[in-house]
Structure formats: structure tokens, C-alpha cells
Amino acid sequence: MVITCLDLEGVLVPEIWIAFADAVGIPELRRTTRDEPDYDKLMKFRLAILKEHGLGLKEIQETIKKIDPLPGAKEFMDELRKTCQTIILSDTFEQFAAPLMEKLGMPTIFCNTLEVAENGEITGYKMRCEKSKLTTVKALQSIGYETIASGDSFNDLGMIQASKAGFLFRSTEQIIKDYPQYPAFTEYKDLLNAIKEAIKK
């Protein structure tokens, strides 16, 4: 019994914060978990910039409406879900993810939630649990599942390391260099084949 756990942004859809940064012309918001391993530090940085510029949830959601899955992502998900159970584990937020899940065929996603004031200001966020991706993988293993994991960023390494098989997908040169033990792919067909092979083992 195998469950594949996938990251969302950078793997199946474009990075939401990068798209928003470009839409509003604030390059500082292009920082992601590829650049900053400390997620709490990254989110506090983002929220401070949003407050400074008077931007809130509505503006981010307007950008998200225009985001489509990466080319080939939905077809990859459809094929993968025929092969094994698949869960998206993401550090994004329910308020961001919903329209993207519709475009991906409504796969299961475990993510976090934002704290939003009545005026739409994002005042904080609630993580589902500490080290959510790693914690979730370990929880799945504790109820009898083997896990396979794939992602592109620092915050994916825990679930990749803890799984029966782990793969980097469209990751950074630095992460690929630092973690040569994990096969790195850039094409969905190659990742799909690697997951299928790992399931057989």
C-alpha cells in the first residue's frame, strides 16, 4: 500500500508568491522556500510587506484566479492517481489552494490556513502541524502505508528523506548538488516512471 506525496508550488502549479510579486511589482515577494529554509521567517517577511503596501487576501486571490497548472501537470496527476493514492502536501493555504485544486481535478490536499481580518488584511497564519510534510508522511507510515515523495524546495526534504523513495522535481541547482542521493527530474513522464518503478520495489 503506497501513497505518493507531492509538493504543490513549483511542482504542479507556478509559485503563487512569485506570480503575485510580478503582478503587483514588488520583487521582494519573489522569495520562496527555495531561497529561505525557515518558513516562519519567510511568512513574517511576506506579511510585513503586504501590510506596508496595503495588500490583502483579495488582491492575492485575484492573481491566483489567473494561474493555471504547469503544462502537463493535470495529465501527470490523472495518470499518477490511476497508479496509486496521491496526496498533495503543501505549505500554502486553503484560501489560496481551492481554485487551483479545481483546475487539477480536485486531488486531496493537506495545507494550512490564513488568519484574515474583516477588512481582508492577512494578520497571521496557522500551520496544520509542526513540520507538516514530514509529520504527515510519518503519520501515513504509522497506519500502514509506504510513502513516495517528491518536491522542489528545502521544506520538501524531510518528507523525501523519510519516504521509501524520494525524488527532486524542477529543484534548484544548489539543492540538487547538496542532495545527490535523490534522483532529480524536470519532466513529468520521467517522474511518473520513477514513481511507478519505486512502487514495484
Side-chain angles (χ1 to χ4, degrees):
M1 292 181 288
V2 175
I3 291 184
T4 296
C5 300
L6 296 173
D7 179 34
L8 177 65
E9 294 178 66
V11 173
L12 299 170
V13 303
E15 293 279 354
I16 291 167
W17 286 98
I18 290 177
F20 182 62
D22 293 346
V24 296
I26 304 174
E28 295 92 334
L29 285 174
R30 289 179 63 88
R31 281 182 72 76
T32 71
T33 50
R34 287 175 164 216
D35 312 300
E36 175 53 69
D38 186 329
Y39 193 71
D40 186 57
K41 182 178 174 184
L42 178 63
M43 276 305 299
K44 284 175 177 169
F45 171 77
R46 287 167 169 168
L47 295 185
I49 290 175
L50 292 179
K51 188 173 180 67
E52 179 189 337
H53 291 271
L55 297 167
L57 180 60
K58 179 171 172 278
E59 289 79 10
I60 300 174
Q61 287 178 328
E62 285 299 316
T63 295
I64 292 169
K65 282 180 192 171
K66 299 170 190 167
I67 294 175
D68 287 320
L70 293 166
K74 184 176 185 301
E75 294 77 7
F76 163 72
M77 282 295 292
D78 290 345
E79 196 60 35
L80 181 59
R81 289 162 78 189
K82 290 178 193 172
T83 306
C84 65
Q85 294 293 322
T86 304
I87 298 175
I88 297 172
L89 301 183
S90 175
D91 279 339
T92 194
F93 306 96
E94 293 170 335
Q95 295 92 333
F96 291 0
L100 297 169
M101 292 306 101
E102 285 186 35
K103 292 178 181 180
L104 282 169
M106 295 306 292
T108 299
I109 183 170
F110 293 171
C111 58
N112 306 304
T113 190
L114 292 167
E115 296 170 339
V116 184
E118 284 186 18
N119 66 357
E121 180 188 348
I122 302 172
T123 56
Y125 64 97
K126 275 189 183 168
M127 299 296 278
R128 189 167 47 80
C129 56
E130 192 177 348
K131 293 182 179 174
S132 60
K133 297 184 184 189
L134 173 59
T135 302
T136 302
V137 158
K138 287 188 170 178
L140 291 168
Q141 291 167 351
S142 77
I143 56 171
Y145 287 96
E146 290 184 303
T147 59
I148 294 170
S150 182
D152 67 330
S153 298
F154 285 109
N155 64 340
D156 299 312
L157 292 170
M159 70 172 179
I160 288 172
Q161 290 164 338
S163 291
K164 159 183 169 166
F167 308 105
L168 296 170
F169 188 74
R170 297 183 182 173
S171 190
T172 65
E173 286 182 20
Q174 191 60 54
I175 291 175
I176 292 169
K177 182 181 170 189
D178 290 345
Y179 296 89
Q181 67 270 43
Y182 300 113
F185 302 109
T186 57
E187 299 297 327
Y188 288 117
K189 67 178 187 305
D190 297 329
L191 178 59
L192 182 64
N193 288 336
I195 292 171
K196 286 180 175 179
E197 285 301 312
I199 289 170
K200 290 177 189 174
K201 290 178 182 175

